Amino acid sequence: MGVLFENEGSLRVTDDAYMTPEAVALVERAEALVPRLAERAQAAEQAGRVPDETVRELAEAGLFRVLQPRRWGGYEQDPRVFYRIQMTLARGCMSTAWIYGVIGVHNWQLPLFPEQAQHDVWGEKGERSGVLIASTYMPVGQAEPVEGGYRLSGHWGFSSGVDHCQWLLLGGLLPRQDGAEGLEHTTFLVPREDVEVVANWDVHGLRATGSHDVVVKGAFVPSHRTQRTNNHDDAGCPGRELNAGWLYRIPFTQVFQRAVSTSCIGALDGAIETFRRRAAAHVGKHGAKTAEDPNAQLAVAEAMLRSDELKLVLMRNFQQIVDHARDGSQMGVEDRLLQRAQSARVAKTCASLVDELLRACAASGLYRSNPIERIVRDVHQARGHIANNSDAYGRAFGAVMLGLPNADPYI
C-alpha cells in the first residue's frame, strides 16, 4: 500500500525499525518529564517564558541533540524520533514542546553550513555541543556585501525561546548562488551578543514560548556563516561533505514544517487526557454527569479518532521522506505539496477538536485552572504561524492537481 502518487510497490506505509533502543530511551526520558511540565505550565504562561529549569532538564536528557550529528555529540536520529518526543512533551506543556521543536531542529540545519560555522558554534572538538540556537526565518534581513562576508541589519519577529539561546539563525535575501536573476532565501548565523531582544511577546496563546522580536544593527557575518535555505543540492549544503548521513539530505521544508505543527497533536492528546479524567468524575450544578453527556462522549471520541489519524499521516509521510533521503531520489512535487498541506492543516484540525472538548466542559471548564482552556489558546496561536496557513497550502496543492504550475518557492 502506498500514498497518493508514489508507485504502490515501492513504498512502505510505516516501518518502526527506527525505534532503536537508543530512540526508545530518548522518548522515555521525554515521557518522564511530562508531569513536571504540566505542573509548571500555568506559571510558565504567567511568566511569559519556559522555566530555565525545564530547558536544563531537556538538555540534560539529550533531547535537543536528537537530530545533531554523532560526530558533534548528537544522536543523529530519524526525524520520527524527534517528533515523537515533541508530541510527548506537548502533552504536558505545548509552549515547551513548541520551543523544543524550533530550537531542536536547528541542530539539524547547522550541519548543512560550512564546517567552520559548525566549529564556531560547537567548538573544535564539539565541547560546546549543548549550545542552543534560536531563529526567525522571515527574509527581512538586509545584507551588504563586505570583505569576507556581509554586514547584516534587520528587525525580525517571532524568535521562540530566544532567551535560552546563544546563537540565532536569521533570514534574509541574497543574489542567487548560481548567478541567475533574482534573490534566494538565505539563513545567517549570528551570535547572541550581536542581537538585541525586544521583549514584546504579549499574545493570546503560547505565551510561555517568549517569541520576542530581535534586532541586528550592522553585525558582521562571515561568508561561512550563511546557508542558502532552499538550495537542497550539495552546493547549497556544503556541510554534507563531512555530515554525509542520509538525515542531512532531507530538504529543509520537509523537516521544518513539522516543527511548528506537531506540538499541536501532543497538546490535543494532553487535552484528551485532562478531559477524560475530568469528565469521569464531574457532576454539574444540576446533577448531570459529564460522562453521560452525549456531547462529551462524541467530543472525546472525535478527538481520539482524529489524533490517531494525524499521527498515522505524520509517520507515513516521514517514511516516504526517509526512503527518498536514503536512496538519494527526489520526491515528486505533488507529494511535496500534499505533505506541506497536511502539515499546515494539523493546527486547524486540532483547534476544532480542542474547542469541542472545552465546550463539553460546560461553564465550569472556562476557568483558567482548567488546562484545556490554555491548550485551546495555544493551538489557536499556532494557527497563526505562516507554515500553518492551511488554506494557502491547500490551494497551492489543489492548483497543481488542476494542472497549474507550482507557485510555492519553498517546494
Side-chain angles (χ1 to χ4, degrees):
M1 180 180 177
V3 293
L4 192 55
F5 304 105
E6 291 282 346
N7 182 320
E8 292 204 359
S10 68
L11 180 67
R12 295 164 290 167
V13 174
T14 185
D15 180 357
D16 290 339
Y18 69 89
M19 287 302 294
T20 63
E22 184 176 60
V24 170
L26 287 163
V27 175
E28 288 177 345
R29 291 177 208 168
E31 184 73 39
L33 291 173
V34 171
R36 274 174 275 174
L37 301 184
E39 290 173 1
R40 298 168 185 163
Q42 189 170 16
E45 177 177 73
Q46 291 170 350
R49 59 179 285 157
V50 172
D52 293 342
E53 181 181 13
T54 293
V55 174
R56 182 172 62 252
E57 289 172 347
L58 295 176
E60 289 173 350
L63 302 185
F64 287 116
R65 294 184 284 116
V66 168
L67 299 179
Q68 195 166 343
R70 290 189 182 276
R71 61 184 287 261
W72 287 112
Y75 293 100
E76 202 165 325
Q77 290 288 321
D78 188 295
R80 286 168 287 189
V81 179
F82 183 74
Y83 291 113
R84 279 179 181 261
I85 290 169
Q86 189 179 24
M87 286 188 288
T88 299
L89 298 174
R91 288 181 14 234
C93 173
M94 184 172 165
S95 284
T96 297
W98 181 278
I99 71 164
Y100 170 74
V102 298
I103 292 175
V105 79
H106 301 145
N107 286 342
W108 171 87
Q109 187 185 5
L110 183 58
L112 306 181
F113 278 72
E115 179 75 3
Q116 184 58 52
Q118 299 166 59
H119 282 277
D120 291 350
V121 175
W122 290 328
E124 292 301 311
K125 299 180 180 179
E127 66 271 13
R128 298 194 300 270
S129 63
V131 166
L132 302 182
I133 307 170
S135 71
T136 167
Y137 291 99
M138 55 177 63
V140 299
Q142 302 296 312
E144 176 190 358
V146 295
E147 184 176 355
Y150 304 91
R151 191 68 63 185
L152 180 69
S153 297
H155 187 142
W156 295 259
F158 310 110
S159 186
S160 298
V162 65
D163 287 338
H164 302 288
C165 297
Q166 298 80 47
W167 289 79
L168 287 89
L169 297 172
L170 301 175
L173 297 172
L174 287 178
R176 290 177 58 90
Q177 206 169 21
D178 59 10
E181 290 186 9
L183 302 171
E184 61 183 344
H185 193 286
T186 303
T187 305
F188 295 82
L189 174 65
V190 181
R192 176 64 177 78
E193 55 264 28
D194 288 345
V195 177
E196 174 192 351
V197 175
V198 181
N200 62 348
W201 186 245
D202 185 11
V203 291
H204 179 66
L206 292 174
R207 292 179 60 85
T209 63
S211 302
H212 302 299
D213 285 12
V214 295
V215 175
V216 174
K217 299 177 180 178
F220 174 67
V221 181
S223 295
H224 69 263
R225 291 187 192 162
T226 65
Q227 192 260 327
R228 304 304 174 112
T229 319
N230 299 312
N231 184 347
H232 305 140
D233 62 23
D234 289 346
C237 304
R240 288 178 182 160
E241 183 177 356
L242 294 178
N243 301 307
W246 61 263
L247 177 60
Y248 306 106
R249 295 198 165 273
I250 300 174
F252 172 84
T253 299
Q254 291 177 345
V255 178
F256 179 79
Q257 64 192 6
R258 285 290 184 170
V260 294
S261 67
T262 305
S263 59
C264 295
I265 305 174
L268 171 61
D269 286 344
I272 292 168
E273 292 170 9
T274 298
F275 184 80
R276 290 179 65 191
R277 288 194 303 269
R278 187 180 189 280
H282 185 261
V283 179
K285 301 297 184 185
H286 300 281
K289 297 179 180 179
T290 302
E292 296 176 353
D293 179 1
N295 291 324
Q297 295 165 0
L298 183 59
V300 75
E302 283 288 335
M304 295 180 75
L305 291 169
R306 296 303 298 277
S307 171
D308 190 50
E309 293 167 3
L310 293 170
K311 291 170 194 165
L312 285 170
V313 170
L314 169 66
M315 297 304 169
R316 182 204 66 185
N317 286 0
F318 266 105
Q319 181 68 65
Q320 186 182 10
I321 290 167
V322 168
D323 286 347
H324 279 285
R326 285 184 180 278
D327 67 23
S329 60
Q330 184 181 52
M331 189 186 299
V333 66
E334 297 94 344
D335 280 306
R336 298 200 304 275
L337 287 166
L338 171 63
Q339 291 193 7
R340 177 86 145 154
Q342 287 169 325
S343 178
R345 192 173 178 80
V346 167
K348 181 178 182 179
T349 299
C350 291
S352 68
L353 295 166
V354 295
D355 282 352
E356 286 301 297
L357 290 174
L358 185 62
R359 183 183 70 84
C361 289
S364 62
L366 297 176
Y367 287 91
R368 292 206 170 188
S369 57
N370 180 8
I372 299 174
E373 184 274 337
R374 182 184 64 254
I375 293 169
V376 166
R377 289 185 287 104
D378 287 349
V379 174
H380 276 279
Q381 187 76 29
R383 290 192 65 184
H385 194 288
I386 189 171
N388 292 333
N389 187 337
S390 60
D391 292 351
Y393 296 119
R395 289 194 300 269
F397 171 60
V400 169
M401 298 315 299
L402 295 177
L404 299 178
N406 172 34
D408 186 342
Y410 293 92
I411 294 296

